[in-house]
Amino acid sequence: MRALPLTLAAGVVLLTPSLLPAAVLPAPARQRPVAWSEGAVTAAELLARTRECAQISHGRFRPDDGAPATVPVCGTDDAVFWTTDMDIDCDGRSGPHCNADTDPMYSPTTSFTQSDGRYLDPENLPYIVVPGPGELWDHRTDGVHGGAVAAVVHGDRVQYAVVGDVGPPDIIGEASYATAAALGIPPDPRGGGAAADVTYIVFRDSAAKPVEDHAAAVATGERLARLFTRGS
């Protein structure tokens, strides 16, 4: 992953920090921290619960356009899940990393909106993409809807997210720029993403309120993840 440049505000003079009073030291740039694991439920605990698949989809999805259909959607009483790759979704409100110049597939809209009616912010809001309703699977019949809470697992990292967008009805495995960045996955929409081993767990009939409140998604997700790992 390419390192992001450190940008200094115009007019800021760099001095040796020890020579400056603490009160006038420049504040650190505001950015969303990368979490090794959000909440107390570990990646290993979540993955242990997804080792067996009771398939609920009527067939398998392709991870990418033109790829073989190899990915089933599995289900338990309280969640649905799948394991595949991660493509980067930069759709929604534009920013320095997600816009028509950085992403040739960019769309300024998302299937779901936040509480004030604006489209979601892919650079700052962790969200995932679910396949559109079709012959393979209709997510709506399994309690999956806009704002539903998901746990996304990659390696030893867990990131809570919301369902924020809908994709093609036969392709699965996509999440926002913010989701990828927090999981340590290169988030560049042109060449980033992960080729495999990303598990998406969506908790049935859950909701983050409001959808743009990531802290609400984490609180709800952690509670439901604990129940999921206990098999209840």
Side-chain angles (χ1 to χ4, degrees), residues 41-194:
V41 182
T42 68
E45 289 176 298
L46 288 165
L47 292 177
R49 190 75 168 90
T50 65
R51 285 178 187 149
E52 295 183 3
C53 174
Q55 184 170 325
I56 61 173
S57 58
H58 305 291
R60 300 190 173 206
F61 290 87
R62 295 179 294 159
D64 295 295
D65 189 23
T70 58
V71 185
V73 173
C74 313
T76 66
D77 288 342
D78 45 10
V80 302
F81 59 89
W82 55 92
T83 299
T84 185
D85 66 346
M86 179 182 285
D87 296 324
I88 308 303
D89 189 338
C90 253
D91 293 346
R93 300 210 312 273
S94 65
H97 305 295
C98 289
N99 55 65
D101 293 327
T102 63
D103 182 2
M105 304 293 290
Y106 173 75
S107 169
T109 66
T110 48
S111 299
F112 307 108
T113 58
Q114 58 184 42
S115 58
D116 61 2
R118 291 190 297 169
Y119 293 110
L120 304 183
D121 180 352
E123 292 185 16
N124 294 291
L125 181 67
Y127 71 73
I128 69 168
V129 182
V130 295
E135 293 182 358
L136 289 175
W137 183 48
D138 185 342
H139 59 269
R140 300 169 299 184
T141 64
D142 284 297
V144 175
H145 50 78
V149 178
V152 188
V153 184
H154 181 62
D156 58 359
R157 299 191 187 193
V158 177
Q159 174 69 22
Y160 292 106
V162 294
V163 172
D165 209 355
V166 171
D170 60 342
I171 296 177
I172 201 166
E174 192 173 5
S176 69
Y177 182 103
T179 308
L183 287 169
I185 294 172
D188 181 359
R190 286 183 181 269

Side-chain angles (χ1 to χ4, degrees), residues 23-36:
V24 297
L25 284 174
R30 293 183 62 188
Q31 59 182 7
R32 198 171 174 280
V34 172
W36 278 103

